[in-house]
Amino acid sequence: MKTQWTLLIGLVFAIIIAVFAVVNVDQVPVNYIFGEAHWPLILVILGSALIGAVISASFVFFNLFSKTRQIKHLTKDLEQRDHQMERLEQDLQQRDYQINRLEQDLNVKIQQQTQLPNKEQEIIQVEERQ
């Protein structure tokens, strides 16, 4: 929809410029740095409009090119960060697994240590009975 409005506005301006140029067909002097020439005003108006359009389009294309390069750079940076995040998540999962294993080993050792005094007491009781 935005493109249609832009096209419509551009078309209206083109028609206004064309009507203005057709009404002004007199010869006018055009001064150059190195000389002077007499051209019909219609050519001067259309030439000026054409040069303005070319300059505007060049600015638009330069801006578009700059934005495209910036988007490519940011996309590449985002992909690198995603890859780094995946590696860090994998590393975190491995560390969580290691922590769980160490906790299990610690629990087993704690149970073994709590059973040792009980077994020592049993041994002492058995020795006392004998």
Side-chain angles (χ1 to χ4, degrees), residues 65-115:
F65 177 72
S66 172
K67 297 297 181 188
T68 302
R69 287 186 65 201
Q70 185 179 13
I71 288 171
K72 285 181 182 179
H73 175 71
L74 291 174
T75 302
K76 184 179 177 182
D77 188 38
L78 183 62
E79 288 173 357
Q80 288 176 349
R81 288 177 189 233
D82 284 345
H83 183 66
Q84 183 181 11
M85 195 163 99
E86 288 173 2
R87 284 192 333 235
L88 290 173
E89 286 176 350
Q90 289 174 356
D91 188 39
L92 181 63
Q93 288 176 353
Q94 289 175 354
R95 289 177 190 243
D96 282 344
Y97 176 74
Q98 289 174 352
I99 288 172
N100 287 336
R101 279 188 43 216
L102 290 173
E103 285 178 345
Q104 289 174 354
D105 290 346
L106 181 62
N107 287 336
V108 168
K109 291 196 182 220
I110 289 173
Q111 287 178 356
Q112 288 174 353
Q113 286 181 354
T114 56
Q115 290 175 358

Side-chain angles (χ1 to χ4, degrees), residues 26-52:
D26 298 333
Q27 293 277 334
V28 294
V30 178
N31 293 320
Y32 301 107
I33 295 173
F34 51 85
E36 180 179 303
H38 291 278
W39 288 30
L41 186 56
I42 189 170
L43 292 179
V44 173
I45 292 171
L46 292 177
S48 298
L50 181 65
I51 290 172

